[in-house]
Amino acid sequence: MKVTPLGDRVLVKQEDEPQKTEGGIFLPETAKEAPQWGTVVRIGPGKLLENGEVRRLTVKEGDKVIFGKYSGTKVKMGQDELLFMREEDIMAIVED
C-alpha cells in the first residue's frame, strides 16, 4: 500500500531500541516509553502559504529525526506502526 501525506505532514517510522536501566536490567514492553526518534518514510508536498505558494519541507525521506513525546497520530500499516505528524512537530534532524 502506498500512502502520501498531504500538505506539511510527514510519515515517520519510530525506531525502537532495547531500553534498560543504568544497572543493566532490561525493561519489559509495558514499562517502556514510546521512542522519540525515527526515520521519515514519506513526506507531503509542502505547506500551502496564504499567497498560494507552497513552501517545500525541510525534511526528506530517509532523514533520522527527533520529535516531541506526544507528537503525531499512530496508524498501523501492515506490520509497521507509523506516525503521521506535521513538520513543525519535528525538533531536529540527526546526522551521523
Side-chain angles (χ1 to χ4, degrees):
M1 176 182 333
K2 183 176 178 179
V3 176
T4 302
L6 300 176
D8 65 336
R9 289 180 177 81
V10 298
L11 189 58
V12 176
K13 180 176 182 186
Q14 288 180 297
E15 302 295 333
D16 240 350
E17 60 184 34
Q19 292 183 352
K20 61 181 177 178
T21 64
E22 288 183 21
I25 298 171
F26 284 94
L27 298 173
E29 288 294 321
T30 54
K32 291 182 182 179
E33 289 188 21
Q36 295 174 333
W37 65 279
T39 303
V40 176
V41 177
R42 302 277 295 178
I43 63 171
K47 184 172 178 107
L48 181 62
L49 304 175
E50 289 182 17
N51 63 5
E53 293 180 17
V54 175
R55 182 185 57 83
R56 296 180 53 113
L57 301 180
T58 305
V59 297
K60 61 186 179 305
E61 293 176 10
D63 281 349
K64 292 198 182 299
V65 294
I66 298 173
F67 48 86
K69 189 173 196 170
Y70 301 105
S71 298
T73 301
K74 288 185 180 181
V75 63
K76 185 142 177 123
M77 301 184 74
Q79 299 295 330
D80 296 324
E81 192 170 273
L82 304 169
L83 285 174
F84 274 104
M85 67 179 67
R86 293 192 180 275
E87 184 185 39
E88 66 190 27
D89 292 334
I90 296 173
M91 296 185 283
I93 298 172
V94 179
E95 297 179 21
D96 291 331

